[in-house]
Amino acid sequence: MKRSFIILRVLCAFAVLIPISAPVAADSTDLPKVVSTNLCADLLLLRIAAPEQILSVSTQAQDPRVSSVAEAALAYPPNRGGVEDLLYLKPDMALVYTGWTGRRHAELLAGRGTEIVAMPYPTTWTDTLKATREMAARIGCAEAGEARILDAEARMRVLRERIQPYRVLYLRPSGGTAGSGTYVDDLLRLLGLRNVAAEAGFAGWGRFPLERLVTAPPDLFLLGYFDRSGPGAASAYGRHPLLRRMLERIPSVSVPVKDWGCGGLELVDAAERIVAQIESLPVQPSLIGQAHP
Amino acid sequence: MPQFRFRSLMLVLLVTLLGLSLISLCFGEAPLSLGEVIAGLLGTGTDEQSLIVRQIRLPRVVLAWLVGFSLGASGAALQGLLRNPLAEPGLLGISASAGLGAVVALYFGLTAASLWALPGAAMTFALLATGVLYALTQAGSTNLTLILAGIALTSLAGALTSLALNLAPNPGGVQDMVLWLLGSIADRSFDDVRLCLPFVIAGLGLLLMTGPSLDVLALGEGEARTLGVDLGRLRGLVILGSALSVGATVAVSGTIGFVGLVVPHLLRRFVDYRPGRLLLPSALGGAVLILAADIAVRLLDTPRELMLGVVTALIGAPFFLVLVLRSRRDML
Amino acid sequence: MSLLQVSGLDVVLGGKPLVRGLSFAIGEGELLGLIGPNGAGKSTVVKAIAQLLDHGGEIRFRGRPLSAMPARERASCLAYLSQEDPVQWPISVRDLVGLGRHPYRGSWWRGAGGPRKGDLEAIESAMRLTDVWRLRERRVTQLSGGERARARLARVLAVEAPLILADEPVAALDPRHQLQVMRLLRSACQSGRGVLVVLHDLTLASRFCDRLVMMDRGELIATGTPSEVLTAENLARTYGVRAVMGEHDGQGYVVPWETSEPMRS
């Protein structure tokens, strides 16, 4: 429930992108009233939609432990994403997870005046921009959306080529990494970095075996959610003395954004901070990894 | 003659265990040859080889031993004490309760005070669960009520584990939940081994002490007592021994089911069905099964590594069903 | 001095008095029958003597209170054969009988070792006496009811205790095996042992026992030789039956024939 991206990742396997034809509303009073039922949709809505068209956001959005927009989200009544919530709130449109829940919602609410829109799950930055553009158009905020998109694109462009092509390994405490075909991989490449996991042949969201760490250590670690695991990180991988010693030796930066699991426009915030962190590392990573690719 | 059979059984189990351990050391992401593995183990190889073998693969093997010893011996001892072939730490909810204890300790910051809080909490919860079950059997319950109570305890502990993971200050994810409910010994280090080793040794010691008394208990509690069996002490030893060993291993591996059921059942005929004699072979057999399952987990070409508990359940659940059907026939 | 002296035995279970002020004694070489209708408290008396139940009054073995004796020492003084047949695991007959040697076992770590020489002799002679020697490799669960009863009796004999407590050892046995088991208990007494046996069959009680203790609803009704105890009046009073009684070859028989009064609930 908390790490929404995990569920999302599972569900996205069944994702069916709903073909989109975008009616653009003239003025804000005609904007469709929208409810979002998951963190990723909340992020999108709170960034792009007009405040008066948001009826409700998910409870996760208000949880400062997992959401970076918790404060803004507190302005709206929360929902837990049930069909009953949607029946009661009577929105014109509901942004839901893809997959089974979304399909169930669509079935149950068919003919009740609520349009169910499944959130797309982007795997590249280009995808992210495209999906945001489509969603913005859907909720009648194409212009606001376009402005945010142009801004994000410009910021992302600036970041390119600012750092050395380090070999980077993205790791979560469970040993999870991001191989090719994930937005993490795409982002790393956009920044001019090399994704160790993808180069080692991993695709999708797999695990990076400890043994590979020993045989092929990266120049730099990018750590996701290590802050969240607390003192006795539940995952043995994150606690393993071998990894701990490597983290002392090899520089690491952590993903500075709590909700980096959606692959939305907020990726650019994450990217900026990652680049800034790398630039301000006391010791710049060595490119030893390059010696034996 | 029986003595000879017992010794050959132990020898076979020991050789299998060592063989599987070596095989387990040879499997991994890094392609090491047998020679390199041995060199790494002895420390004569390169740094990289000895790091991989000694710090990644060896702890995993040692932990498989400890988990297997604990589950196998506890299963055999509980079956002897409760005089019920269906008794097992996993089925009776002892493992799940220990998992709950571990989750509470981990996610609510008890481990910040001392790492020993982790096995400590797991063992305490395991002890509570075992005590409740024992009280139930003393109230004159049948096999059926015992198993039902175990199911209730298991699902209660599982539900509370999920609840704890959700309410924790540092919320855990779905993967954490899966770990505690299905168990795994991947990526463990000697830190984890150290954390459970003393308790596993103590627990196994207590369990192995019960052998002769468990044999006599085959006669029923009354006759056993008149033969000098101190029933209170026997119960205490089995309950404490299982709670210590199972609790401590669950604290680092999560709950792994069915091992304590399958292993004693398979080995019983080789010790002439004597419940006390079964303890030691069961401990070794448990380790063999865990090691084999752990090797299978790595060999199976699944997109993500399977949880160890998935494999043991795949082996154990059909077993359980057959046992239930058979014991039903015997009882009717 | 008698082998076992029971005086003023009281047993209360769950607030209900099951045995009240019962006193009797067993001498060396004596086969004592404990008889009485269902619910009279016969099994309770046996369990109290075996120290399986808390009780009032005193139970002395060769003058020493049994309750004060260490469990291990007590285990070699009395052997108990319970009424139920709860052997759970299909252990072999040899192993079953061998369990009778548990009181003489050393420390726990010797458990893995086999029985010692004296044990082996005791086990073999117990099995030969009860005629289960040829069944020694069989599983207990594969035996017929009679074979199993004899095997369990062999287990009790293997303890080589001076006192044997047998709770309905012939229940569920056919006549031939009933006679066989009673003869065994009889011969067990010849070596100076005392045997307390709970019986329902009055003819067996009359033929094999030296003395009888008859009880009803927790109290002593009569004690003495079979002919003193098994009177028409006592049978009517405790069992509520009229019996056909007589003698054959100098031994009495008692065959309950009809109820003497409407059945008590």
Side-chain angles (χ1 to χ4, degrees), chain B residues 30-56:
Chain B
L32 298 184
S33 69
L34 182 63
E36 285 169 329
V37 166
I38 292 172
L41 196 60
L42 300 175
T44 55
T46 63
D47 262 7
E48 199 178 282
Q49 287 164 0
S50 70
L51 268 187
I52 290 179
V53 175
R54 284 180 171 184
Q55 296 206 24
I56 298 178

Side-chain angles (χ1 to χ4, degrees), chain A residues 1-3 7 9 65 172 174 205 207 209-212 214-215 228 230-232 234-237 239-242 245, chain B residues 28-30 48 51-52 55-57 106-107 111-112 166 168-171 173 175-176 179 186-189 191-192 304:
Chain A
M1 190 178 96
K2 300 301 183 196
R3 295 219 313 236
I7 297 171
R9 196 192 305 152
R65 295 179 303 184
R172 286 182 288 117
S174 60
W205 305 94
R207 274 167 50 86
L210 264 177
E211 295 185 11
R212 287 282 179 94
V214 177
T215 52
R228 209 186 259 179
S235 299
Y237 194 105
R239 274 187 287 150
H240 203 286
L242 215 65
R245 273 205 296 282
Chain B
E29 281 297 321
E48 199 178 282
L51 268 187
I52 290 179
Q55 296 206 24
I56 298 178
R57 297 188 184 174
L106 266 181
Y107 292 82
T111 45
N166 275 315
N170 294 303
Q175 284 184 334
D176 290 0
L179 164 71
D187 304 327
R188 299 305 190 272
S189 66
D191 289 355
D192 297 296
R304 212 167 300 174

